[in-house]
Amino acid sequence: MTPAILPGQPQLAYRDDELFLEGVRLADLARSHGTPLYVYSKGAMLAALAAYQRGFQGRKALICYAMKANSSLAVLQVFAQAGCGFDIVSGGELLRVIAAGGDCAKVIFSGVGKTRAEMRQALEAGIACFNVESEAELEVLNDVALSMGQRAQVSIRVNPNVDPQTHPYISTGLKGSKFGVAHERVLQTYRRAAALPGLRVVGIDCHIGSQITQELPYLDAVDRMLDLVQDIEAAGIALQHIDFGGGLGIDYNADTPPAADTLWTHLLARLDARGFGDRQFMVEPGRSLVGNAGVCLTEVLYLKPGEEKNFCIIDAAMNDLPRPAMYQAYHAIIPLSSNAPAPVASWDVVGPVCESGDWIGHDRELAVQAGDLLAVLSAGAYCMSMASNYNTRGRAAEVLVHEDRSSLVRARETAQTCFAGEILPAS
Ligand SMILES: *Cc1c(COP(=O)(O)O)cnc(C)c1O
């Protein structure tokens, strides 16, 4: 049974009953590298990026990949070589940008809890901008910059408070969110920033949520942002750039988010209409650049049919694929070989971890038997980057494919690496 449509993954297709990502047969990778195994398509990442680039054609725009979605060095290298900047949320992520050959001058630093040490590190590296999330953070950043004889370039992350009733997917741009500066405090925060000698105000930013599949919240956010820009500039504080954050959704399960180029064509029309079309723009896409570029390959260990439920126990688990346990998220699961002899049945696909929350998919129609290989789809974003060593399971290996070539880009962790930093006290 060949699924008619593979959600949003144009580089993934069955050829003669075997699943390929670009020109690489996935079963070959599973056999040579073992499972669970993450496989990413460079072509799919570049195609996702190209949609943003088309949307911003002829504009001044910097695409900063929100690397928390997938911070593997090989993935970062793909985006660095394509000219992207990076949106980071820790000093560790900055070190990854440098290790992958990224340009620190195109790095913006988001997050509500930057430490002094991270600020110092980012100033030394010469990043483009700190996206400051509170008044308290402004004071600390000013202090750190002055102590280094520098001026930190700042943007204030504002909370546009887009109406939650009509846009239920939005979770970070609401009143009551820990993120950003409340709409009504934005002007006074900018005044304070402009008065601090260790800071240079360069922009404004927002990020209204994730897995957004409608255009309307973005249009609302654009309008709210431009209202603020007008107020701030009327107060004599010039803004060089406007950063609209990330959040564009992907197709996990018949989701229909707008394409990035369509979305941005529409948003830029609104920006043009309001006279802001020639500004320097930034965006911080994460999921939409990598989510549907990756799959997680796994082997069926055991079938455990039961009276109420049939369980299909696989060798990938919540430590590898945390999104179902964390968000009750859906990932499509399909066989690597589409001409399986087993009868189709309904299975709960679960991992070996000792938690009832360790499930990958509920009630999936699959023709499976022990030893079969499966692919968990849409696994390029917020999977490996959130993976853990729970149950002393080493994290999976990763492979990058392009056309008919494949490269191992992360070695599988061993149990020893899981406890390498642990110390037995002298008794
Ligand atoms: C997580 C995050 C992003 C990326 O969000 P996606 O939904 O993956 O596009 C962008 N900006 C900020 C500040 C974030 O925290």
Side-chain angles (χ1 to χ4, degrees):
M1 32 143 240
T2 302
I5 302 165
L6 304 181
Q9 308 211 359
Q11 314 287 340
L12 194 64
Y14 286 101
R15 289 191 203 164
D16 300 330
D17 296 329
E18 300 247 55
L19 192 62
F20 279 67
L21 187 60
E22 299 199 36
V24 178
R25 192 197 335 258
L26 290 172
D28 293 343
L29 295 180
R31 272 187 281 273
S32 45
H33 300 289
T35 52
L37 181 72
Y38 277 98
V39 188
Y40 307 120
S41 156
K42 179 176 175 178
M45 289 186 245
L46 292 176
L49 176 63
Y52 279 92
Q53 290 166 330
R54 279 195 302 277
F56 284 109
Q57 191 136 37
R59 309 283 182 157
K60 288 175 285 187
L62 180 63
I63 299 163
C64 290
Y65 168 53
M67 61 181 280
K68 72 180 192 289
N70 186 326
S71 56
S72 297
L73 295 186
V75 171
L76 302 185
Q77 181 177 259
V78 168
F79 291 116
Q81 288 177 350
C84 285
F86 296 93
D87 175 35
I88 65 168
V89 292
S90 72
E93 286 195 344
L94 180 56
L95 292 179
R96 282 185 175 272
V97 169
I98 295 166
D103 181 355
C104 290
K106 294 182 184 170
V107 167
I108 54 180
F109 193 169
S110 299
V112 296
K114 304 175 192 77
T115 65
R116 283 173 184 266
E118 287 175 321
M119 291 172 178
R120 227 173 281 122
Q121 179 195 348
L123 283 167
E124 270 161 16
I127 68 163
C129 185
F130 291 83
N131 287 356
V132 172
E133 303 227 13
S134 66
E135 291 161 73
E137 183 189 337
L138 274 184
E139 305 293 332
V140 172
L141 182 58
N142 175 61
D143 219 47
V144 172
L146 286 179
S147 76
M148 297 172 67
Q150 288 201 31
R151 283 181 86 179
Q153 311 217 98
V154 297
S155 157
I156 310 267
R157 175 167 174 183
V158 303
N159 192 331
N161 195 25
V162 175
D163 181 359
Q165 299 312 116
T166 52
H167 316 305
Y169 280 105
I170 295 168
S171 53
T172 59
L174 304 175
K175 265 189 183 159
S177 155
K178 74 173 177 180
F179 299 103
V181 171
H183 204 265
E184 56 278 7
R185 293 189 71 84
V186 167
L187 194 54
Q188 75 190 70
T189 308
Y190 267 98
R191 285 210 169 94
R192 181 67 186 148
L196 290 170
L199 305 183
R200 177 180 294 121
V201 172
V202 293
I204 185 168
D205 66 284
C206 71
H207 172 67
I208 56 176
S210 204
Q211 185 54 19
I212 299 169
T213 56
Q214 295 168 25
E215 200 168 282
L216 203 53
Y218 279 106
L219 278 170
D220 286 353
V222 164
D223 277 330
R224 306 274 291 178
M225 289 284 278
L226 293 186
D227 294 345
L228 288 169
V229 171
Q230 281 169 334
D231 292 348
I232 294 160
E233 295 195 333
I237 301 164
L239 299 174
Q240 287 163 29
H241 75 251
I242 311 176
D243 174 351
F244 293 101
L248 181 58
I250 62 169
D251 177 12
Y252 286 103
N253 182 22
D255 302 300
T256 53
D261 47 353
T262 312
L263 173 69
W264 278 98
T265 303
H266 295 170
L267 296 180
L268 285 160
R270 177 69 63 102
L271 286 154
D272 285 339
R274 291 194 57 178
F276 288 87
D278 61 350
R279 294 296 179 109
Q280 165 78 39
F281 300 117
M282 290 193 190
V283 281
E284 308 165 353
R287 188 190 313 274
S288 53
L289 290 182
V290 291
N292 268 335
V295 298
C296 181
L297 307 185
T298 176
E299 184 182 325
V300 176
L301 297 175
Y302 301 102
L303 294 181
K304 191 173 172 183
E307 274 180 23
E308 304 225 323
K309 287 259 178 203
N310 297 320
F311 290 102
C312 169
I313 301 165
I314 60 175
D315 66 359
M318 65 188 286
N319 73 298
D320 306 297
L321 286 158
R323 296 185 65 260
M326 280 186 71
Y327 316 117
Q328 307 210 300
Y330 181 95
H331 287 277
I333 303 170
I334 62 173
L336 293 201
S337 171
S338 61
N339 70 345
V344 174
S346 180
W347 299 96
D348 269 21
V349 181
V350 301
V353 160
C354 298
E355 296 277 347
S356 298
D358 181 28
W359 57 275
I360 307 299
H362 288 309
D363 304 319
R364 301 304 176 86
E365 300 290 318
L366 286 166
V368 277
Q369 53 194 6
D372 282 0
L373 294 166
L374 303 175
V376 179
L377 306 191
S378 311
Y382 303 108
C383 290
M384 188 62 184
S385 61
M386 295 176 111
S388 78
N389 292 128
Y390 190 39
N391 281 209
T392 308
R393 292 169 51 89
R395 287 180 301 165
E398 293 177 304
V399 168
L400 182 70
V401 302
H402 194 40
E403 294 165 353
D404 58 0
R405 298 183 308 276
S406 67
S407 339
L408 180 70
V409 296
R410 184 199 297 258
R412 184 175 303 285
E413 279 180 355
T414 64
Q416 283 74 19
T417 48
C418 295
F419 57 78
E422 297 177 35
I423 299 160
L424 289 171
S427 51

PDB file of all heavy atoms in Angstrom, residues 191-210:
ATOM      1  N   ARG A 191      12.652  54.182  24.596  1.00  0.00           N
ATOM      2  CA  ARG A 191      13.243  55.428  25.100  1.00  0.00           C
ATOM      3  C   ARG A 191      14.416  55.105  26.028  1.00  0.00           C
ATOM      4  O   ARG A 191      15.468  55.736  25.960  1.00  0.00           O
ATOM      5  CB  ARG A 191      12.185  56.239  25.863  1.00  0.00           C
ATOM      6  CG  ARG A 191      11.200  56.925  24.950  1.00  0.00           C
ATOM      7  CD  ARG A 191      10.697  58.231  25.588  1.00  0.00           C
ATOM      8  NE  ARG A 191       9.950  59.022  24.625  1.00  0.00           N
ATOM      9  CZ  ARG A 191       8.622  58.988  24.483  1.00  0.00           C
ATOM     10  NH1 ARG A 191       7.893  58.212  25.252  1.00  0.00           N
ATOM     11  NH2 ARG A 191       8.032  59.745  23.571  1.00  0.00           N
ATOM     12  N   ARG A 192      14.207  54.102  26.881  1.00  0.00           N
ATOM     13  CA  ARG A 192      15.265  53.708  27.810  1.00  0.00           C
ATOM     14  C   ARG A 192      16.475  53.186  27.024  1.00  0.00           C
ATOM     15  O   ARG A 192      17.614  53.550  27.299  1.00  0.00           O
ATOM     16  CB  ARG A 192      14.734  52.644  28.773  1.00  0.00           C
ATOM     17  CG  ARG A 192      15.731  52.180  29.797  1.00  0.00           C
ATOM     18  CD  ARG A 192      16.104  53.282  30.789  1.00  0.00           C
ATOM     19  NE  ARG A 192      17.176  52.852  31.690  1.00  0.00           N
ATOM     20  CZ  ARG A 192      18.084  53.661  32.202  1.00  0.00           C
ATOM     21  NH1 ARG A 192      18.085  54.952  31.911  1.00  0.00           N
ATOM     22  NH2 ARG A 192      18.998  53.195  33.017  1.00  0.00           N
ATOM     23  N   ALA A 193      16.211  52.332  26.041  1.00  0.00           N
ATOM     24  CA  ALA A 193      17.305  51.752  25.248  1.00  0.00           C
ATOM     25  C   ALA A 193      18.105  52.857  24.571  1.00  0.00           C
ATOM     26  O   ALA A 193      19.344  52.831  24.549  1.00  0.00           O
ATOM     27  CB  ALA A 193      16.753  50.774  24.213  1.00  0.00           C
ATOM     28  N   ALA A 194      17.391  53.842  24.014  1.00  0.00           N
ATOM     29  CA  ALA A 194      18.070  54.914  23.276  1.00  0.00           C
ATOM     30  C   ALA A 194      18.913  55.773  24.206  1.00  0.00           C
ATOM     31  O   ALA A 194      19.884  56.411  23.776  1.00  0.00           O
ATOM     32  CB  ALA A 194      17.035  55.769  22.549  1.00  0.00           C
ATOM     33  N   ALA A 195      18.547  55.781  25.498  1.00  0.00           N
ATOM     34  CA  ALA A 195      19.273  56.626  26.452  1.00  0.00           C
ATOM     35  C   ALA A 195      20.501  55.934  27.038  1.00  0.00           C
ATOM     36  O   ALA A 195      21.342  56.582  27.662  1.00  0.00           O
ATOM     37  CB  ALA A 195      18.331  57.035  27.580  1.00  0.00           C
ATOM     38  N   LEU A 196      20.601  54.632  26.866  1.00  0.00           N
ATOM     39  CA  LEU A 196      21.713  53.908  27.488  1.00  0.00           C
ATOM     40  C   LEU A 196      22.951  53.977  26.596  1.00  0.00           C
ATOM     41  O   LEU A 196      22.882  53.644  25.409  1.00  0.00           O
ATOM     42  CB  LEU A 196      21.310  52.446  27.756  1.00  0.00           C
ATOM     43  CG  LEU A 196      20.270  52.279  28.878  1.00  0.00           C
ATOM     44  CD1 LEU A 196      19.737  50.844  28.910  1.00  0.00           C
ATOM     45  CD2 LEU A 196      20.873  52.637  30.236  1.00  0.00           C
ATOM     46  N   PRO A 197      24.085  54.388  27.152  1.00  0.00           N
ATOM     47  CA  PRO A 197      25.275  54.639  26.319  1.00  0.00           C
ATOM     48  C   PRO A 197      25.907  53.361  25.749  1.00  0.00           C
ATOM     49  O   PRO A 197      26.641  53.437  24.771  1.00  0.00           O
ATOM     50  CB  PRO A 197      26.237  55.335  27.280  1.00  0.00           C
ATOM     51  CG  PRO A 197      25.798  54.909  28.651  1.00  0.00           C
ATOM     52  CD  PRO A 197      24.318  54.740  28.572  1.00  0.00           C
ATOM     53  N   GLY A 198      25.621  52.228  26.351  1.00  0.00           N
ATOM     54  CA  GLY A 198      26.226  50.982  25.860  1.00  0.00           C
ATOM     55  C   GLY A 198      25.392  50.294  24.796  1.00  0.00           C
ATOM     56  O   GLY A 198      25.739  49.194  24.353  1.00  0.00           O
ATOM     57  N   LEU A 199      24.295  50.930  24.402  1.00  0.00           N
ATOM     58  CA  LEU A 199      23.405  50.290  23.429  1.00  0.00           C
ATOM     59  C   LEU A 199      23.233  51.173  22.201  1.00  0.00           C
ATOM     60  O   LEU A 199      23.303  52.402  22.291  1.00  0.00           O
ATOM     61  CB  LEU A 199      22.025  50.027  24.043  1.00  0.00           C
ATOM     62  CG  LEU A 199      21.980  49.223  25.344  1.00  0.00           C
ATOM     63  CD1 LEU A 199      20.521  49.010  25.763  1.00  0.00           C
ATOM     64  CD2 LEU A 199      22.678  47.875  25.195  1.00  0.00           C
ATOM     65  N   ARG A 200      22.995  50.542  21.073  1.00  0.00           N
ATOM     66  CA  ARG A 200      22.609  51.259  19.867  1.00  0.00           C
ATOM     67  C   ARG A 200      21.344  50.583  19.336  1.00  0.00           C
ATOM     68  O   ARG A 200      21.367  49.382  19.000  1.00  0.00           O
ATOM     69  CB  ARG A 200      23.719  51.195  18.818  1.00  0.00           C
ATOM     70  CG  ARG A 200      23.318  51.876  17.495  1.00  0.00           C
ATOM     71  CD  ARG A 200      24.408  51.820  16.432  1.00  0.00           C
ATOM     72  NE  ARG A 200      25.571  52.609  16.825  1.00  0.00           N
ATOM     73  CZ  ARG A 200      26.800  52.131  16.974  1.00  0.00           C
ATOM     74  NH1 ARG A 200      27.035  50.848  16.762  1.00  0.00           N
ATOM     75  NH2 ARG A 200      27.789  52.916  17.341  1.00  0.00           N
ATOM     76  N   VAL A 201      20.257  51.320  19.286  1.00  0.00           N
ATOM     77  CA  VAL A 201      18.992  50.752  18.801  1.00  0.00           C
ATOM     78  C   VAL A 201      19.070  50.599  17.280  1.00  0.00           C
ATOM     79  O   VAL A 201      19.366  51.561  16.572  1.00  0.00           O
ATOM     80  CB  VAL A 201      17.809  51.664  19.175  1.00  0.00           C
ATOM     81  CG1 VAL A 201      16.531  51.167  18.508  1.00  0.00           C
ATOM     82  CG2 VAL A 201      17.639  51.729  20.680  1.00  0.00           C
ATOM     83  N   VAL A 202      18.829  49.380  16.799  1.00  0.00           N
ATOM     84  CA  VAL A 202      18.883  49.172  15.344  1.00  0.00           C
ATOM     85  C   VAL A 202      17.585  48.605  14.776  1.00  0.00           C
ATOM     86  O   VAL A 202      17.371  48.681  13.566  1.00  0.00           O
ATOM     87  CB  VAL A 202      20.062  48.259  14.918  1.00  0.00           C
ATOM     88  CG1 VAL A 202      21.397  48.938  15.183  1.00  0.00           C
ATOM     89  CG2 VAL A 202      19.999  46.904  15.596  1.00  0.00           C
ATOM     90  N   GLY A 203      16.743  47.997  15.606  1.00  0.00           N
ATOM     91  CA  GLY A 203      15.568  47.371  14.992  1.00  0.00           C
ATOM     92  C   GLY A 203      14.456  47.061  15.962  1.00  0.00           C
ATOM     93  O   GLY A 203      14.487  47.459  17.136  1.00  0.00           O
ATOM     94  N   ILE A 204      13.486  46.366  15.416  1.00  0.00           N
ATOM     95  CA  ILE A 204      12.337  45.901  16.189  1.00  0.00           C
ATOM     96  C   ILE A 204      12.021  44.494  15.709  1.00  0.00           C
ATOM     97  O   ILE A 204      12.222  44.179  14.527  1.00  0.00           O
ATOM     98  CB  ILE A 204      11.130  46.847  16.023  1.00  0.00           C
ATOM     99  CG1 ILE A 204       9.953  46.423  16.927  1.00  0.00           C
ATOM    100  CG2 ILE A 204      10.681  46.928  14.557  1.00  0.00           C
ATOM    101  CD1 ILE A 204       8.863  47.497  17.013  1.00  0.00           C
ATOM    102  N   ASP A 205      11.576  43.634  16.617  1.00  0.00           N
ATOM    103  CA  ASP A 205      11.261  42.272  16.194  1.00  0.00           C
ATOM    104  C   ASP A 205      10.076  41.724  16.959  1.00  0.00           C
ATOM    105  O   ASP A 205       9.698  42.220  18.020  1.00  0.00           O
ATOM    106  CB  ASP A 205      12.467  41.337  16.349  1.00  0.00           C
ATOM    107  CG  ASP A 205      12.883  41.124  17.804  1.00  0.00           C
ATOM    108  OD1 ASP A 205      13.500  42.048  18.375  1.00  0.00           O
ATOM    109  OD2 ASP A 205      12.582  40.061  18.373  1.00  0.00           O
ATOM    110  N   CYS A 206       9.498  40.692  16.380  1.00  0.00           N
ATOM    111  CA  CYS A 206       8.433  39.945  17.051  1.00  0.00           C
ATOM    112  C   CYS A 206       8.535  38.493  16.589  1.00  0.00           C
ATOM    113  O   CYS A 206       9.249  38.171  15.649  1.00  0.00           O
ATOM    114  CB  CYS A 206       7.039  40.500  16.709  1.00  0.00           C
ATOM    115  SG  CYS A 206       6.492  40.175  15.020  1.00  0.00           S
ATOM    116  N   HIS A 207       7.849  37.639  17.294  1.00  0.00           N
ATOM    117  CA  HIS A 207       7.737  36.229  16.879  1.00  0.00           C
ATOM    118  C   HIS A 207       6.454  35.743  17.527  1.00  0.00           C
ATOM    119  O   HIS A 207       6.383  35.642  18.743  1.00  0.00           O
ATOM    120  CB  HIS A 207       8.946  35.421  17.357  1.00  0.00           C
ATOM    121  CG  HIS A 207       8.797  33.940  17.119  1.00  0.00           C
ATOM    122  ND1 HIS A 207       8.773  33.393  15.859  1.00  0.00           N
ATOM    123  CD2 HIS A 207       8.635  32.910  17.980  1.00  0.00           C
ATOM    124  CE1 HIS A 207       8.602  32.077  15.963  1.00  0.00           C
ATOM    125  NE2 HIS A 207       8.524  31.760  17.233  1.00  0.00           N
ATOM    126  N   ILE A 208       5.435  35.492  16.718  1.00  0.00           N
ATOM    127  CA  ILE A 208       4.100  35.347  17.294  1.00  0.00           C
ATOM    128  C   ILE A 208       3.713  33.913  17.608  1.00  0.00           C
ATOM    129  O   ILE A 208       2.676  33.682  18.218  1.00  0.00           O
ATOM    130  CB  ILE A 208       3.030  36.001  16.386  1.00  0.00           C
ATOM    131  CG1 ILE A 208       3.074  35.423  14.975  1.00  0.00           C
ATOM    132  CG2 ILE A 208       3.214  37.513  16.379  1.00  0.00           C
ATOM    133  CD1 ILE A 208       1.968  35.955  14.063  1.00  0.00           C
ATOM    134  N   GLY A 209       4.525  32.952  17.214  1.00  0.00           N
ATOM    135  CA  GLY A 209       4.159  31.572  17.527  1.00  0.00           C
ATOM    136  C   GLY A 209       4.770  30.627  16.516  1.00  0.00           C
ATOM    137  O   GLY A 209       5.640  31.017  15.746  1.00  0.00           O
ATOM    138  N   SER A 210       4.314  29.403  16.533  1.00  0.00           N
ATOM    139  CA  SER A 210       4.918  28.389  15.682  1.00  0.00           C
ATOM    140  C   SER A 210       3.839  27.534  15.037  1.00  0.00           C
ATOM    141  O   SER A 210       2.704  27.486  15.529  1.00  0.00           O
ATOM    142  CB  SER A 210       5.854  27.527  16.527  1.00  0.00           C
ATOM    143  OG  SER A 210       6.835  26.938  15.721  1.00  0.00           O
TER     144      SER A 210
END
